Amino acid sequence: MIVPSRNPLIMMLDIFRAPMSCFSALYQRGMWGWIIYIILILSPFAFWGSYFDIVDFEWLKSNMTQQLAIVAPDQIDLLDKDTLMASEILGDIFNRTIVIALLAFWFLLATKPSQYNFGYWKWLGASSVILFPAVLGDFASYVSLLVNHGQVMSYAADLNSLNGLLKLPMTSEWSAFASSLPLLLPWYIVLSYSAIGAWTEFNKTQALKIAVLPWVSFYLFWGLSIALF
């Protein structure tokens, strides 16, 4: 028998140790999903605020100027600390919100054949939980920043993305792809699988297909587009 998480704090812990308990609690108390979402959009403020406090901005600006001169010369005049920090924070918030919204829409459509039908807002809460490990990624990025004494370019500072490891420059045609591809993707898929398993009667194969398909389709199409065109 699955025991639902007792409160929002326990639910956050259960995201990592007992996902089924987490989603059982969210099934009963959908508003708890908003707490998760708020933490997700506040976390970038903490990380990027720390990043621009620690990084040698003149070093960062010099390196970015050289690359922007090749890929986007018109953006060189925008290289000031406040503008870059706002851009990174708003970018993270926008990207996370869009991913959550699209995932919720996908789950709404993909689970239509189920005898247990949930509305869009219910799946929105589940999608917020699925992306919650990104908060750990923000913390890991902060630790990496300290270990490297701030000598990390902004496009390679986020360890939530593959580019946090590859550190491809902005001049690389694969830079945007690597910056978008989450290193925590397997974790997101596991949590998606758990949500579908907790809320529907679908078998394991069906649940896995629904959990994997949107991610694989999107990044496969994007990667092939870069490779071919």
Side-chain angles (χ1 to χ4, degrees):
M1 180 179 177
I2 300 172
V3 179
S5 309
R6 297 192 302 274
N7 56 58
L9 179 59
I10 297 298
M11 188 183 79
M12 280 187 274
L13 294 175
D14 283 343
I15 292 173
F16 307 104
R17 65 184 186 182
M20 296 294 280
S21 294
C22 164
F23 287 112
S24 294
L26 193 63
Y27 170 80
Q28 298 174 2
R29 300 175 177 85
M31 291 301 293
W32 287 5
W34 287 106
I35 299 174
I36 300 297
Y37 174 72
I38 289 170
I39 294 173
L40 267 172
I41 63 173
L42 288 179
S43 185
F45 284 92
F47 170 64
W48 289 112
S50 300
Y51 174 85
F52 283 99
D53 279 341
I54 296 172
V55 73
D56 180 344
F57 186 72
E58 291 306 316
W59 168 81
L60 175 66
K61 183 177 180 179
S62 175
N63 280 275
M64 290 191 71
T65 298
Q66 295 175 23
Q67 296 184 40
L68 286 175
I70 299 173
V71 297
D74 55 312
Q75 295 184 20
I76 293 177
D77 292 337
L78 301 177
L79 288 179
D80 67 83
K81 182 180 292 189
D82 291 338
T83 301
L84 284 177
M85 181 167 64
S87 174
E88 296 291 354
I89 292 172
L90 293 176
D92 276 1
I93 292 174
F94 177 79
N95 290 336
R96 290 177 184 185
T97 301
I98 287 295
V99 170
I100 289 169
L102 291 178
L103 266 183
F105 185 65
W106 162 250
F107 291 139
L108 180 68
L109 295 179
T111 59
K112 281 291 185 183
S114 171
Q115 60 179 313
Y116 306 104
N117 287 311
F118 301 101
Y120 180 74
W121 294 106
K122 200 81 168 179
W123 284 114
L124 204 66
S127 299
S128 296
V129 167
I130 289 166
L131 244 67
F132 189 72
V135 173
L136 283 187
D138 290 338
F139 179 73
S141 301
Y142 175 69
V143 172
S144 173
L145 181 65
L146 294 179
V147 169
N148 289 284
H149 307 289
Q151 298 295 298
V152 181
M153 296 295 294
S154 57
Y155 56 75
D158 186 3
L159 291 184
N160 281 306
S161 73
L162 179 61
N163 211 34
L165 294 181
L166 299 181
K167 305 190 186 311
L168 298 177
M170 291 184 290
T171 52
S172 170
E173 61 184 1
W174 289 94
S175 178
F177 179 88
S179 295
S180 171
L181 182 62
L183 284 176
L184 297 174
L185 181 55
W187 204 341
Y188 298 158
I189 290 173
V190 169
L191 289 174
S192 299
Y193 175 83
S194 298
I196 297 163
W199 289 7
T200 73
E201 79 284 7
F202 291 156
N203 60 42
K204 293 180 179 180
T205 301
Q206 289 174 305
L208 186 59
K209 287 179 180 177
I210 293 172
V212 170
L213 189 59
W215 299 101
V216 172
S217 300
F218 177 76
Y219 285 107
L220 183 62
F221 177 78
W222 190 357
L224 287 175
S225 297
I226 297 173
L228 296 177
F229 305 110

